[in-house]
Amino acid sequence: MSERIPMSMPFGWFQVAYSHELEIAASMPLRYFDTDLVLFRTESGEAKVLDAYCPHMGAHLGYGIRDQAGGGASVVGDSIVCPFHGWAYNGEGQCTDVPYANRLPPKIARGEQVIRPWPVREVNQVIFVWYHPQGLAPYFEPEFIEEAAPDSDEWGGFKLHTWDINTHMQEIGENAVDPAHFLYVHGTQNVPTPEVMEFDGVYRRGKLVSKMATPRGEIVGVIANNSTGPGQATVRFSGICETILMANLTPIDQEHSRAFYAFIQKKVDGKEQVGGVADAIVKDICKQMSEDQIIWSHKKYFEKPLLCDNDGPFAKFRKWYSQFYADAPARVS
């Protein structure tokens, strides 16, 4: 663990891709949780994730050759095929074919798992993977977001943005309970008023309210944010243009995180909103991310920060977040 951010990676469900990025019988390499992985979709349409390296001779399963060059390894039926020697593996980590063997290795003949599979859920047009450093099974599920349905009559398609951020996920998550930073980092008209700050098991809920001056007069803006575990967050903006943000965070390693932002906006007269206020809201939130990144990339984590009476409930947030660490992390103040 580093001295700047002395925390391990949390466990939970984490986004590794959007559904549209993975076609039928396709694969791609991933690197999350300080681990090389391969993501593939079977011919029957299921998304699967395995450790990246073939247990035969160590080839990476996420890189194809010849007609697959520039993409992932080939997928046949429900198995991904190693580009080195043609060994095939299903999503449960079993070897399903050694095409040139007369006698199978004993583990394969017995149908044993020979490569580590990762639990996968595909919901909200997102592919989630369950990470736990001790390999424990999932004990909660990702939240279903009704507005993210691909065939929604009321809500438009995704407006996507992604950032790689040089900090630990917890540092990013603490923004949700820090209303004062909106004024000083982002130059908002005032400090939003926190009306709800709740912590309930693996769930966290918050609601910030702010009065905003607009050409149409003063408008009350509401930011309602919900988290399911450390990796999945949903933010609902109302007041000017109804917008939902799926703001999912995934650890690349201990000090590097990836933020997947998918904006969904309510249709007007059955049509998706393009330009105008709708795009201005997305642009402003993206600007705020660039401002936050400067702070996150250079700040140091203090276990016992010097807080004042109007700071957010950092202690409650950190206690809630600590349940997602498999081991109590060493702390440095």
Side-chain angles (χ1 to χ4, degrees):
M1 296 185 186
S2 77
E3 188 173 312
R4 184 173 81 93
I5 309 175
M7 294 176 286
S8 58
M9 290 182 292
F11 65 80
W13 289 105
F14 299 101
Q15 178 172 348
V16 297
Y18 289 103
S19 295
H20 72 267
E21 295 177 304
L22 185 66
E23 297 179 353
I24 295 289
S27 67
M28 64 174 67
L30 302 173
R31 183 167 178 81
Y32 292 108
F33 324 117
D34 206 14
T35 303
D36 290 315
L37 307 169
V38 61
L39 167 66
F40 67 99
R41 193 181 295 283
T42 67
E43 290 188 357
S44 61
E46 291 186 86
K48 303 288 186 179
V49 172
L50 299 172
D51 276 358
Y53 298 106
C54 175
H56 171 222
M57 291 289 288
H60 196 302
L61 298 174
Y63 295 91
I65 58 171
R66 298 201 311 275
D67 56 340
Q68 301 289 132
S74 63
V75 177
V76 178
D78 288 340
S79 298
I80 188 168
V81 180
C82 178
F84 201 4
H85 296 94
W87 293 36
Y89 303 91
N90 63 21
E92 287 65 54
Q94 299 164 311
C95 182
T96 56
D97 188 27
V98 182
Y100 56 89
N102 293 323
R103 183 181 298 117
L104 294 175
K107 284 186 176 181
I108 294 175
R110 292 194 297 266
E112 294 181 16
Q113 183 185 105
V114 293
I115 185 170
R116 178 172 56 168
W118 294 65
V120 175
R121 301 288 188 271
E122 192 162 7
V123 61
N124 309 327
Q125 303 186 65
V126 166
I127 299 171
F128 291 95
V129 164
W130 172 265
Y131 164 75
H132 194 289
Q134 298 170 353
L136 299 186
Y139 69 92
F140 64 92
E141 293 295 322
E143 180 189 5
F144 170 70
I145 309 301
E146 184 177 359
E147 297 89 343
D151 55 354
S152 174
D153 292 328
E154 294 187 40
W155 295 85
F158 291 176
K159 297 179 179 180
L160 301 179
H161 296 267
T162 304
W163 293 268
D164 285 350
I165 304 171
N166 296 324
T167 196
H168 188 282
M169 287 180 50
Q170 182 178 321
E171 292 277 65
I172 302 170
E174 289 189 357
N175 263 24
V177 294
D178 183 12
H181 94 280
F182 284 96
L183 174 61
Y184 298 99
V185 177
H186 305 311
T188 56
Q189 295 176 19
N190 49 52
V191 175
T193 302
E195 289 193 351
V196 177
M197 288 285 179
E198 298 176 344
F199 303 88
D200 179 17
V202 300
Y203 307 103
R204 185 201 59 79
R205 291 177 287 274
K207 181 180 179 182
L208 300 175
V209 177
S210 179
K211 293 181 179 180
M212 301 174 290
T214 75
R216 293 181 288 171
E218 188 176 79
I219 290 178
V220 176
V222 177
I223 303 174
N225 53 84
N226 302 321
S227 295
T228 300
Q232 184 185 17
T234 307
V235 188
R236 289 176 165 83
F237 301 87
S238 59
I240 299 178
C241 172
E242 285 196 67
T243 301
I244 293 173
L245 168 60
M246 296 196 304
N248 298 332
L249 297 174
T250 303
I252 298 172
D253 54 37
Q254 179 198 340
E255 282 200 25
H256 299 88
S257 307
R258 182 159 293 152
F260 295 91
Y261 274 26
F263 296 88
I264 316 168
Q265 295 177 310
K266 198 164 189 178
K267 295 178 181 178
V268 176
D269 297 327
K271 297 180 180 179
E272 295 195 22
Q273 298 191 58
V274 179
V277 173
D279 283 356
I281 288 174
V282 174
K283 183 178 179 180
D284 184 65
I285 295 170
C286 291
K287 177 184 73 71
Q288 291 185 21
M289 279 293 286
S290 66
E291 294 162 345
D292 285 325
Q293 278 188 277
I294 297 171
I295 302 295
W296 290 328
S297 294
H298 303 286
K299 78 182 294 293
K300 181 176 179 177
Y301 179 86
F302 288 144
E303 181 183 0
K304 297 179 180 179
L306 184 63
L307 300 175
C308 74
D309 57 345
N310 284 322
D311 278 318
F314 289 100
K316 289 182 178 179
F317 178 87
R318 291 180 177 187
K319 182 179 180 181
W320 173 81
Y321 205 97
S322 68
Q323 70 182 297
F324 303 109
Y325 291 117
D327 301 303
R331 305 280 183 170
V332 193
S333 59

